Amino acid sequence: GAVVSQHPSWVICKSGTSVKIECRSLDFQATTMFWYRQFPKQSLMLMATSNEGSKATYEQGVEKDKFLINHASLTLSTLTVTSAHPEDSSFYICSAPGGLAREQYFGPGTRLTVT
Amino acid sequence: RKEVEQDPGPFNVPEGATVAFNCTYSNSASQSFFWYRQDCRKEPKLLMSVYSSGNEDGRFTAQLNRASQYISLLIRDSKLSDSATYLCVVNSGGSYIPTFGRGTSLIVHP
């Protein structure tokens, strides 16, 4: 199956700093990628749709100025958490659709801890 | 009403049991359907796609009923390693945007 990588796999940062997370499709091109957040013992929540060559589409309640998304190429999307706060601590996952049925291939996730 | 609904469980079953999960979706124009498995602190992994004709992969059988807008997953002869959260996912719209159910937790005990 298709492979999606994420970097870093975990990060600890101080309040007020910004953190960039990369999502790469390794063996296929993705004009669309999706970013999710998952808090402990809760379900996956779609944050935004990243579109190559155009602006990201954010889900209701997700601040676009806080979670900056850039789909720089057909294999790379980045999520930058700006001015991070402890409540932003979460598991951030990306996915890219592939295959005939457009199933999602997930990155391994990035665990963010803001102190 | 949530677009994709699942019973969160947990379903607590002994090894060897057969267990079934259901999932309902509200968008009748949804195009494709999947079951994913998510282990604790890991990303979801595709278990199987779901087709109207039904499909089987070893101990796992998935069914789609478009008329009633529900998807099912049947696990036979449960193993301890089947313990995980099972996510129902439905793709809709031109960009095939995935909508996730909240997941059903399965615990298989000895």
Side-chain angles (χ1 to χ4, degrees):
Chain A
V3 178
V4 174
S5 70
Q6 256 183 268
H7 178 80
S9 54
W10 61 269
V11 58
I12 301 172
C13 71
K14 293 187 175 179
S15 255
T17 60
S18 295
V19 174
K20 181 188 281 189
I21 303 169
E22 292 186 350
C23 177
R24 291 182 187 273
S25 56
L26 296 186
D27 51 359
F28 67 106
Q29 293 182 333
T31 55
T32 303
M33 290 184 176
F34 299 98
W35 286 97
Y36 313 82
R37 180 167 55 180
Q38 187 173 37
F39 294 106
K41 297 187 189 295
Q42 294 191 23
S43 55
L44 216 56
M45 187 194 83
L46 179 65
M47 297 176 67
T49 303
S50 173
N51 304 298
E52 192 269 336
S54 64
K55 290 182 181 179
T57 307
Y58 290 82
E59 296 299 301
Q60 193 172 10
V62 178
E63 300 172 59
K64 61 177 170 52
D65 295 328
K66 181 168 178 63
F67 298 100
L68 301 179
I69 291 172
N70 182 28
H71 201 130
S73 72
L74 287 171
T75 59
L76 173 64
S77 174
T78 59
L79 168 69
T80 301
V81 183
T82 62
S83 187
H85 290 284
E87 56 264 32
D88 297 325
S89 298
S90 188
F91 189 44
Y92 291 85
I93 313 176
C94 68
S95 74
L100 292 173
R102 305 290 281 171
E103 60 267 29
Q104 297 299 322
Y105 295 99
F106 286 86
T110 298
R111 201 158 297 280
L112 170 65
T113 302
V114 184
T115 60
Chain B
R1 179 186 165 193
K2 207 169 184 304
E3 291 184 48
V4 177
E5 296 202 45
Q6 289 181 256
D7 181 346
F11 285 63
N12 206 319
V13 303
E15 268 187 292
T18 296
V19 62
F21 306 138
N22 287 326
C23 166
T24 58
Y25 61 95
S26 60
N27 186 349
S28 59
S30 298
Q31 299 129 319
S32 44
F33 311 87
F34 312 92
W35 284 103
Y36 282 77
R37 170 195 170 125
Q38 186 176 23
D39 292 288
C40 189
R41 299 172 73 85
K42 298 279 190 182
E43 77 277 19
K45 291 196 185 294
L46 180 66
L47 184 64
M48 56 201 307
S49 301
V50 189
Y51 305 111
S52 297
S53 54
N55 45 310
E56 188 174 309
D57 183 2
R59 298 180 292 108
F60 300 84
T61 301
Q63 290 273 354
L64 164 64
N65 185 318
R66 281 191 183 269
S68 302
Q69 295 181 203
Y70 80 79
I71 305 148
S72 64
L73 177 68
L74 182 77
I75 305 175
R76 289 181 297 278
D77 188 23
S78 300
K79 312 290 185 193
L80 295 177
S81 57
D82 293 335
S83 299
T85 296
Y86 290 83
L87 300 169
C88 171
V89 181
V90 175
N91 280 1
S92 307
S95 298
Y96 290 80
I97 296 173
T99 302
F100 288 77
R102 61 179 296 180
T104 299
S105 175
L106 173 65
I107 301 168
V108 182
H109 58 81

